[in-house]
Amino acid sequence: MTEQQTVLKLNYRRTFLIGFAFFGILLLWQVYDSWCPTFLTDIFARRMYGISSAQLKAGDPEKILNVQWIVGIIMACDNLAALILLPIFGNLSDRTQTPIGKRMPYILTGTFVAAVAFPFVPLFFHRNNVVGMVIMMAIVLIFMMMYRNPAVSLMPDITPKPLRAKANGIINIMGYIGGAFATVLGIFLKLSDYINSADEARKVWTIEIPFLVASVLMVISALVLFFTVREKEVAVEMEEEMRLGELMAAVETPVDDDKPMSKANKRMLLAILGAEFLWFMSDNAIGTYIGNYTIYYLNSVSSATMVLTIAGGLTSVIGFAFGGAIADKIGRKWTISTGLGITVLALTVMCFVSPTGKVTGVNGEYSFPVLLYAVWAVKGFGMALVHNCSFPMVVELCSSKKIGKFTGYYYAASMSAQTVTPVLLGLVFNVTGAWRALPVYAVVLILLSFAVFTGLVKNIKAQKLDNVKGLGALGEAD
């Protein structure tokens, strides 16, 4: 039999197309995280004090902080459901066999149901119907969890292990492009204008359009993915490369499905997940409360938050573009450690930011602190290095038969963090009565994650197999 030269080379076109799955994910979550905490703050201010959050801010701003623990509980319930559902759908998709593949049925079903329910969230909020709004948020969450794990698992399904950091960078860039659509809408359709308006002047289209656009683009992204990436066909084409990638994996001991996970690999997995839990607690705290921090503490227009997101998104794209190459040079461990260190520096600067006191907005808002744009840009780059390499490190420790399951582990760590952190930080706000607690809380958690990750995770680089040829090389490793 003639041996064919086997070369591990990333298929950039196909990876970009797979990225449409993550495009839809970040598009929806950017809208969800930017609008929903403020919706909840306003609607519970009415329930507890009988007036809108804008009126409360003008008359008794400290009470806005008293509402945050309820906001945190609602946001945490969403994440608690995700903590349960993500591993379930990951395991189910690992075992699913259909004519269109094992991930696609979940991706298509989750996308279409979530897209239909999503625009009802602002509609119920506008009508001051908290029960309807929370139910719609729950439906969106459940079906996005059906979508998310299989969508993220699709990349490592058909990408050899040594190439996954670079592929993950491309996937994340596509996701940030999705988030940018929502961000641009938030600049022109200012949530703060809606919140600060009198009830009779509130226009529902101001908050409805971002949700409608997100739903439409999610459906389009899922259809592009379905029609351009034939999951089953690509999996067959990639079989030999996937087996070669297994031989080159950056693990202490080879992965063997017929044996229990080795102690060394288990220690590595637990250390990565523990550090991930801590940095997601920090990152999600900032993401959940930055909208309220801007509107109720800095007294600035909500569009400033969207500009922050753009600043962080642009530098994140740079981090994702070069993260894989950096990891090839210094290893994934030190790439992540560097990213955490950069993030600590940025968030430490944020601890010293305060309202400017310069009135510029039509509703009496203050100008936005320019320093925060720099903070977000630096933080965006740092966390891009972290996210670029962390997921590939987790799925490095399993075979292709268990990618959905290990993706579930990754999201179990992140979602448990996002379940705990909104409630915990809401209580911190309640106790301290200070919005400044937000960056301090985030810094402490990033420092802890840095200590755990740097101290417990080993730096193992992918093996270099020179002059590897086809099945003959695979045979030599037996």
Side-chain angles (χ1 to χ4, degrees), residues 291-355:
N292 286 354
Y293 177 90
T294 298
I295 293 172
Y296 300 114
Y297 172 59
L298 297 178
N299 193 29
S300 296
V301 293
S302 61
S303 58
T305 305
M306 304 304 165
V307 178
L308 275 185
T309 303
I310 290 176
L314 289 173
T315 53
S316 293
V317 167
I318 297 171
F320 287 127
F322 293 100
I326 294 171
D328 285 344
K329 296 291 185 182
I330 65 174
R332 292 172 183 170
K333 171 184 175 174
W334 295 116
T335 303
I336 291 176
S337 298
T338 300
L340 291 172
I342 291 170
T343 303
V344 166
L345 293 176
L347 292 177
T348 300
V349 172
M350 185 180 173
C351 293
F352 299 96
V353 172
S354 57

Side-chain angles (χ1 to χ4, degrees), residues 4 15 21 37 46 72 93 102-103 124 148 172 190 244 263 308 326 387 389 391 397 418 431 436 463 473:
Q4 293 181 336
T15 305
R46 293 174 183 278
S93 65
K102 58 184 180 180
R103 313 294 184 192
F124 279 116
R148 185 164 188 162
N172 278 278
K190 299 175 184 177
L244 180 57
K263 290 183 179 180
L308 275 185
I326 294 171
H387 295 313
C389 294
F391 175 63
L397 297 166
Q418 292 174 71
V431 171
R436 282 182 180 272
Q463 299 178 41

Side-chain angles (χ1 to χ4, degrees), residues 21 103-112 146-147 150-151 154 222 225:
R103 313 294 184 192
M104 283 296 176
Y106 298 92
I107 293 171
L108 296 177
T109 303
T111 297
F112 287 113
M146 176 185 285
Y147 169 104
L154 189 57
L225 175 67

